[in-house]
Amino acid sequence: MATDAANGTDYSIEVRSLWKGYSQARGSVIRDLTLQVQKGHIYGLLGPSGCGKTTLLKCIVGRLRPDSGLIRVMGQRPGKLGHKVPGSLIGYMPQDLALYQEFTISETLFYFGRIFGMDSAEIKARVDFLVNLLKLPCKDKLIYRLRNWGSSDAAQNPCPALNLHEIHVAQQLHFSGGQQRRVSFACALLHEPPLLILDEPTVGVDPLLRQ
Ligand SMILES: Nc1ncnc2c1ncn2[C@@H]1O[C@H](COP(=O)(O)OP(=O)(O)OP(=O)(O)O)[C@@H](O)[C@H]1O
């Protein structure tokens, strides 16, 4: 309805006259930005590197405060007391992966599921679904990728005492960079949020997941 739209309730995201910078010396990264995203719509944010896309998304999910202007997400200001943004109203896949390296994928998804107030049965069902949907190789793999294992440079190799076979076995227990992005995507989808915000979701993933 037109009246609802005017009040912002038809919008999942509403940004008006947003200004945001990181320091006075460097000035504003976002200058007087206004945009609206209607509920049920997919919105792509395009722009050159460094123009402020991630900064805008961080303001929308409540990780950064605007210098001035208005942001409403699902009808209310992010960070407002009692409003589940940041929280269960959104699924957010950040550009920089923010996963606990010591967790397995199963532990990671249970951790986020608990934060979103899901019970064990719900989480388990979603984990099984997402592992299948995103073709995650094994729920019991650790997230951490052993970067320089196997390097001939003794200074870089974190465990030079292991032989090549042992290193190969250890690497099989861990995720690659692209697989970690799939796990991050699974975390964003886990609680079936009404609003999904993905920051460069296709970087480092194969064509199958891009589709
Ligand atoms: N934490 C920060 N402190 C200071 N400056 C920052 C910070 N984060 C980003 N910037 C600066 O703000 C500007 C916009 O960065 P932002 O990451 O929002 O751009 P972007 O459009 O998402 O870029 P890309 O497409 O390369 O990811 C850049 O000049 C960046 O250097």
Side-chain angles (χ1 to χ4, degrees):
M1 273 171 29
T3 324
D4 278 352
N7 290 334
T9 51
D10 265 2
Y11 299 124
S12 51
I13 299 171
E14 192 181 10
V15 178
R16 280 202 215 140
S17 305
L18 176 70
W19 289 75
K20 177 66 192 171
Y22 290 95
S23 68
Q24 280 197 333
R26 295 183 65 184
S28 295
V29 173
I30 297 175
R31 301 185 191 95
D32 200 16
L33 177 84
T34 293
L35 70 83
Q36 286 133 353
V37 180
Q38 280 198 314
K39 286 182 179 167
H41 284 228
I42 296 173
Y43 193 101
L45 203 54
L46 301 177
S49 186
C51 74
K53 302 178 294 294
T54 297
T55 303
L56 173 63
L57 296 182
K58 285 181 178 173
C59 290
I60 288 171
V61 301
R63 284 184 60 187
L64 290 176
R65 278 174 187 265
D67 295 335
S68 68
L70 172 106
I71 299 182
R72 282 205 203 115
V73 181
M74 307 305 280
Q76 296 188 56
R77 200 166 36 80
K80 188 179 169 193
L81 198 64
H83 186 37
K84 293 176 179 167
V85 177
S88 59
L89 278 183
I90 52 171
Y92 176 49
M93 178 177 172
Q95 183 175 15
D96 300 321
L97 295 173
L99 299 170
Y100 291 96
Q101 307 280 297
E102 306 81 3
F103 286 6
T104 64
I105 171 183
S106 189
E107 289 165 345
T108 301
L109 294 172
F110 262 83
Y111 174 80
F112 282 102
R114 289 291 191 214
I115 287 177
F116 293 129
M118 298 167 73
D119 66 32
S120 298
E122 278 179 291
I123 299 172
K124 189 176 176 319
R126 283 295 284 170
V127 170
D128 290 344
F129 172 76
L130 289 167
V131 164
N132 186 38
L133 177 77
L134 299 174
K135 304 279 181 282
L136 295 173
C138 172
K139 286 189 290 191
D140 300 321
K141 264 195 172 190
L142 289 170
I143 301 292
Y144 181 53
R145 183 180 183 195
L146 299 172
R147 286 190 194 286
N148 296 312
W149 284 52
S151 165
S152 54
D153 180 349
Q156 285 202 344
N157 188 342
C159 199
L162 293 185
N163 65 37
L164 278 180
H165 173 70
E166 288 166 330
I167 288 166
H168 178 71
V169 170
Q171 282 176 328
Q172 294 309 304
L173 291 171
H174 298 75
F175 277 130
S176 71
Q179 286 169 333
Q180 290 188 42
R181 292 202 70 77
R182 284 170 187 256
V183 177
S184 186
F185 191 32
C187 294
L189 295 174
L190 180 67
H191 55 299
E192 299 182 81
L195 177 62
L196 196 55
I197 295 181
L198 309 173
D199 193 348
E200 305 213 17
T202 56
V203 170
V205 297
D206 55 49
L208 195 67
L209 185 60
R210 286 179 197 204
Q211 288 169 11

